């Protein structure tokens, strides 16, 4: 309830229980305009358009353009009749309703010459309204008392936040110093760790190089033995020509000249000289033992060719949607495969590079001295990371506190208690959720995703009561429409609750929200009109 509403409520409470003192004036004229109607003096139309003799007032003929000369008759189409309604609220009706046979004024004054059987109901209406207004007034009083408590709590909360902010600022300085000190410790510990790791890796690389060299020599001796068909301890051009894969230009014709070129320009090399020849042939050379296994490996590509077809099928049909006929065919294929004797797929061929890696093994664990350095560096890193994390948390706390301290929670921060709170309203279809100063959302009651009806925008009430409306904007976009937005209308009450929601315009929502923070102090005013 706004301040103006509260004042009006009190005014009504005063008026409905007071007996009117009859002041002589023409029929249909309110007391506030009595001075313009002085009997015995010429009457000037209220719009100033003309002056007429007073006996032409309420003579059932319209002389004034504004209808002010006929307040008690239906002569002027734009006239208005004042209902005194003693014991209830006074009011105005269009002059066209005067003596129309329908009782509009509760005091029956509008039907003074129609013969309508009207009864004066003003006292009863006044009594009922007084009871209702009394309840509203009590709610306003209690709500205002709660508001004062909220203001005091907000003041204490603000002081606590400022004190907490100051404490965190001090601890932040300590954390900054701690982070820099631990950074130095970390960097100091990481340097010997890095050097020790590099030494370990270098030793491992050297060890691998020795292993590779030994393997290379063993391979060279094996190839020399395979190429030396006559077992004379040397390799000749003729012996080299038996391995066509060594053809330098791979043109399908391995000539003696090309073979001689691989042997360094001579017809034959011995064991010692073969070391210099080895680098020219080792990349292309295919062991004779490998050739004997070729027939068994021929089957491998055939098996691999079938896999793309299965992949294509799986793309066309999800696993659960494979047609039954295809499933039957696959089962028959599996049965056929099982019936192909004792056939077994050949083991996957291991590439020489992979085999070499296996032979070399993995890098051995760090020695104790290096591991001690690693553990010390890791401990320093963990301590640094923890301090840095604490510093970030302190920064976040300071930013959040600054936001709360500077936020507009009303003239006396009476709305601060709504911060970080959420209120729900359940309808037959949806659950609406209002989180003041954050967002408004809508979620289907029986499953479905949440829809953002707007994020906090600003206070949107009129200048004289700006804190009566909240605007939430930039919500989820409507289909071929604007982004959703919500207006929150706040009214006075003892509780804090969302009472209703509607969609007056497409994608524009309205919520009714009750809060004691809106309640104004009741102020008594003198009654001015009967």
């Amino acid at each position: 309830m706004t301040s103006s509403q509260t004042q009006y409520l009190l005014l009504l409470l005063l008026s409905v229980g007071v007996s009117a003192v009859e002041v002589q004036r023409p029929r249909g004229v309110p007391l506030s305009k009595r001075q313009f109607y002085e009997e015995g003096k010429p009457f000037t139309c209220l719009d100033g358009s003309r002056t007429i003799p007073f006996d032409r007032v309420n003579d059932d003929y319209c002389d004034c353009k504004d209808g002010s000369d006929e307040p008690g008759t239906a002569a002027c189409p734009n006239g208005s009749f004042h209902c005194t309604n003693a014991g209830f609220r006074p009011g105005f009706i269009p002059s066209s309703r005067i003596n129309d046979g329908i009782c509009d004024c509760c005091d029956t004054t509008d039907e003074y010459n129609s013969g309508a059987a009207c009864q004066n109901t003003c006292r009863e209406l006044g009594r009922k309204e007084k009871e209702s207004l009394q309840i509203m007034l009590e709610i306003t009083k209690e709500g205002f008392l709660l508001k004062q408590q909220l203001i005091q709590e907000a003041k204490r909360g603000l002081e606590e936040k400022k004190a907490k902010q100051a404490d965190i600022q001090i601890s932040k300085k300590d954390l900054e110093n701690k982070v820099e000190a631990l950074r130095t410790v970390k960097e100091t510990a990481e340097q010997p760790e890095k050097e020790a790791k590099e030494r370990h890796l270098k030793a491992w690389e050297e060890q691998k190089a020795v292993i590779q060299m030994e393997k290379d020599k063993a391979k060279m001796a094996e190839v020399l033995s395979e190429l030396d068909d006559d077992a004379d301890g040397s390799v000749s051009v003729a012996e080299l020509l038996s391995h066509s894969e060594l053809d330098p230009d791979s043109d399908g014709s391995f000539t003696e000249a090309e073979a001689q070129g691989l042997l360094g320009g001579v017809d034959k090399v011995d064991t010692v000289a073969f070391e210099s020849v080895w680098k020219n042939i080792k990349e292309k050379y295919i062991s004779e033992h490998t050739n004997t296994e070729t027939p068994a490996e021929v089957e491998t590509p055939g098996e691999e060719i079938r896999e793309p077809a299965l992949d294509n099928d799986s793309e066309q049909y999800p696993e659960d949607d494979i047609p039954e006929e295809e499933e039957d065919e696959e089962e028959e294929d599996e049965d056929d495969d099982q019936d192909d004797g004792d056939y077994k797929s050949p083991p996957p061929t291991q590439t020489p590079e992979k085999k070499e890696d296996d032979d070399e093994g993995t890098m051995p664990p760090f020695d104790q001295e290096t591991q001690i350095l690693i553990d010390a560096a890791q401990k320093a890193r963990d301590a640094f990371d923890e301090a840095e994390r604490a510093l970030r948390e302190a920064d976040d706390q300071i930013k959040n506190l600054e936001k709360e301290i500077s936020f507009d929670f009303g003239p006396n921060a009476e709305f601060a208690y709504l911060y970080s709170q959420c209120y729900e309203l359940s309808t037959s279809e949806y659950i609406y959720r209002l989180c003041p100063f954050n967002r408004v959302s809508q979620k289907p009651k029986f499953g479905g995703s949440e829809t953002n009806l707007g994020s906090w925008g600003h206070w949107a009430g009129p200048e004289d009561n700006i804190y009566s409306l909240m605007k939430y904007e930039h919500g989820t976009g409507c289909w071929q429409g604007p982004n959703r937005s919500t207006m929150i209308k706040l009214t006075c009450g003892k509780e804090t609750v969302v009472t209703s929601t509607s969609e007056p315009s497409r994608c524009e929502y309205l919520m009714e929200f009750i809060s004691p923070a809106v309640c104004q102090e009741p102020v008594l005013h003198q009654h001015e009109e009967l």
Side-chain angles (χ1 to χ4, degrees):
M1 185 178 295
T2 64
S3 176
S4 59
Q5 288 175 320
T6 304
Q7 294 172 11
Y8 178 64
L9 184 152
L10 290 169
L11 181 64
L12 289 177
L13 282 173
L14 287 172
S15 67
V16 295
V18 176
S19 298
V21 177
E22 185 63 30
V23 178
Q24 292 298 319
R25 56 188 186 275
R27 181 182 283 112
V29 175
L31 186 62
S32 60
K33 295 180 181 179
R34 170 68 183 84
Q35 69 270 25
F36 301 115
Y37 296 84
E38 294 187 32
E39 191 172 357
K41 292 184 179 181
F43 174 74
T44 300
C45 301
L46 296 186
D47 62 0
S49 59
R50 64 183 297 187
T51 300
I52 60 175
F54 191 80
D55 60 4
R56 292 169 64 176
V57 174
N58 280 340
D59 65 348
D60 206 21
Y61 183 84
C62 193
D63 297 292
C64 299
K65 293 181 180 180
D66 63 357
S68 57
D69 65 312
E70 298 298 319
T73 75
C76 297
N78 59 337
S80 62
F81 179 85
H82 178 258
C83 303
T84 303
N85 292 342
F88 188 53
R89 286 182 285 109
F92 289 89
I93 62 171
S95 59
S96 60
R97 297 183 183 179
I98 298 173
N99 292 322
D100 63 352
I102 300 174
C103 304
D104 296 294
C105 301
C106 68
D107 62 0
T108 75
T109 54
D110 60 314
E111 300 300 320
Y112 61 88
N113 197 30
S114 69
C118 297
Q119 292 184 355
N120 191 324
T121 60
C122 290
R123 297 287 181 185
E124 180 63 18
L125 290 174
R127 183 186 65 78
K128 291 180 179 179
E129 184 168 75
K130 184 177 181 180
E131 290 175 356
S132 176
L133 294 177
Q134 187 64 45
I135 293 173
M136 292 175 63
L137 182 60
E138 291 302 319
I139 291 174
T140 301
K141 289 179 179 178
E142 291 182 39
F144 182 72
L145 291 176
L146 290 173
K147 178 180 179 178
Q148 300 310 302
Q149 296 177 15
L150 293 174
I151 291 173
Q152 293 304 316
E153 290 174 5
K155 287 181 179 179
R156 289 193 296 271
L158 182 61
E159 292 172 359
E160 290 172 1
K161 288 181 177 66
K162 288 182 177 180
K164 184 177 181 181
Q165 184 185 32
D167 291 341
I168 296 176
Q169 289 283 12
I170 295 173
S171 64
K172 180 185 174 183
K173 292 291 184 183
D174 296 338
L175 285 171
E176 288 174 342
N177 295 333
K178 184 178 180 180
V179 166
E180 291 308 312
L182 290 175
R183 189 193 306 277
T184 302
V185 173
K186 178 177 76 77
E187 292 173 351
T188 302
E190 285 178 336
Q191 185 58 36
E193 175 200 36
K194 179 182 176 183
E195 294 172 355
K197 282 185 173 181
E198 288 175 350
R199 287 194 301 270
H200 184 83
L201 181 60
K202 183 180 179 182
W204 170 236
E205 293 296 337
E206 291 174 351
Q207 183 180 347
K208 286 200 299 182
V210 171
I211 294 172
Q212 184 60 39
M213 186 181 299
E214 292 175 351
K215 288 166 56 181
D216 195 53
K217 286 182 178 181
K219 182 66 176 176
M220 182 182 67
E222 180 184 345
V223 171
L224 176 62
S225 176
E226 290 180 2
L227 290 174
D228 186 9
D229 293 334
D230 56 8
D232 63 351
S234 61
V235 177
S236 65
V237 170
E239 290 171 331
L240 206 59
L241 287 172
S242 64
H243 285 264
S244 59
E245 76 276 4
L246 297 177
D247 183 6
D249 54 13
S250 300
D251 60 354
S253 176
F254 189 19
T255 65
E256 291 186 4
E258 289 174 329
Q260 192 175 42
L262 290 175
L263 294 177
V266 298
D267 295 331
K268 181 183 290 189
V269 294
D270 58 13
T271 303
V272 177
F274 186 73
E275 292 185 14
S276 60
V277 175
W278 171 236
K279 66 179 181 294
N280 298 330
I281 68 173
K282 66 179 181 179
E283 298 299 330
K284 286 189 172 185
Y285 181 80
I286 298 177
S287 173
E288 294 174 359
H289 299 299
T290 302
N291 290 340
T292 61
E293 298 175 3
T294 302
E297 295 178 352
V298 172
E299 296 290 338
T300 303
E303 293 294 321
E304 295 175 353
I305 290 173
R306 295 177 60 188
E307 293 180 3
L310 293 175
D311 291 342
N312 290 338
D313 290 342
S314 65
E315 291 175 0
Q316 293 172 2
Y317 304 104
E319 291 182 8
D320 295 335
D321 297 332
I322 296 176
E324 293 180 2
E325 293 181 1
E326 292 187 13
E327 290 181 351
D328 294 339
E329 290 174 4
E330 290 177 4
E331 290 175 1
E332 291 174 4
D333 292 341
E334 291 174 2
D335 293 338
D336 293 341
D337 293 342
Q338 293 174 0
D339 294 336
D340 288 343
D342 296 329
Y343 172 80
K344 293 183 180 179
S345 298
T349 304
Q350 191 176 42
T351 61
E353 292 78 10
K354 180 66 177 176
K355 186 176 180 181
E356 289 174 2
D357 290 343
D358 292 343
D359 291 342
E360 292 171 2
T362 57
M363 185 173 68
F366 296 110
D367 58 78
Q368 184 177 3
E369 182 180 351
T370 302
Q371 190 61 50
I372 290 173
L373 293 174
I374 293 173
D375 293 342
Q378 187 59 47
K379 184 177 180 181
R381 279 190 291 270
D382 291 342
F384 173 78
D385 291 343
E386 182 62 31
E388 203 173 39
R389 189 181 305 109
L391 180 58
R392 286 196 301 270
E393 290 176 355
D395 278 329
D396 291 341
Q397 286 182 306
I398 290 172
K399 290 178 182 177
N400 291 335
L401 287 169
E402 287 176 349
K403 180 181 177 181
E404 286 192 53
I405 291 170
S406 62
F407 205 92
D408 183 6
F409 289 120
N412 297 296
E414 57 267 38
F415 295 96
Y417 81 103
L418 299 175
Y419 193 77
S420 299
Q421 301 296 319
C422 292
Y423 305 89
E424 291 186 349
L425 173 67
S426 181
T427 66
S428 58
E429 295 184 63
Y430 299 100
I431 296 175
Y432 292 89
R433 185 176 176 85
L434 166 63
C435 300
F437 311 111
N438 187 359
R439 68 195 294 265
V440 182
S441 63
Q442 174 197 64
K443 187 174 183 179
K445 202 168 185 178
F446 304 104
S449 59
E450 186 178 77
T451 301
N452 183 2
L453 302 185
S455 299
W456 168 253
H458 52 84
W459 293 104
E463 288 186 11
D464 61 342
N465 194 20
I466 191 171
Y467 299 102
S468 61
L469 290 173
M470 288 177 166
K471 180 67 180 289
Y472 292 77
E473 50 199 0
H474 307 306
T476 303
C478 286
W479 171 251
Q480 295 184 340
N483 286 357
R484 289 173 171 82
S485 63
T486 303
M487 191 71 77
I488 309 297
K489 182 180 178 181
L490 295 97
T491 54
C492 170
K494 296 185 292 181
E495 300 177 328
T496 302
V497 62
V498 178
T499 58
S500 68
T501 181
S502 59
E503 190 176 0
S505 302
R506 182 169 180 252
C507 306
E508 294 181 358
Y509 299 82
L510 174 66
M511 277 188 175
E512 299 277 350
F513 186 54
I514 292 177
S515 168
V518 191
C519 298
Q520 301 296 325
E521 182 178 12
V523 179
L524 294 176
H525 292 268
Q526 292 297 324
H527 181 47
E528 298 176 353
E529 181 69 74
L530 289 179

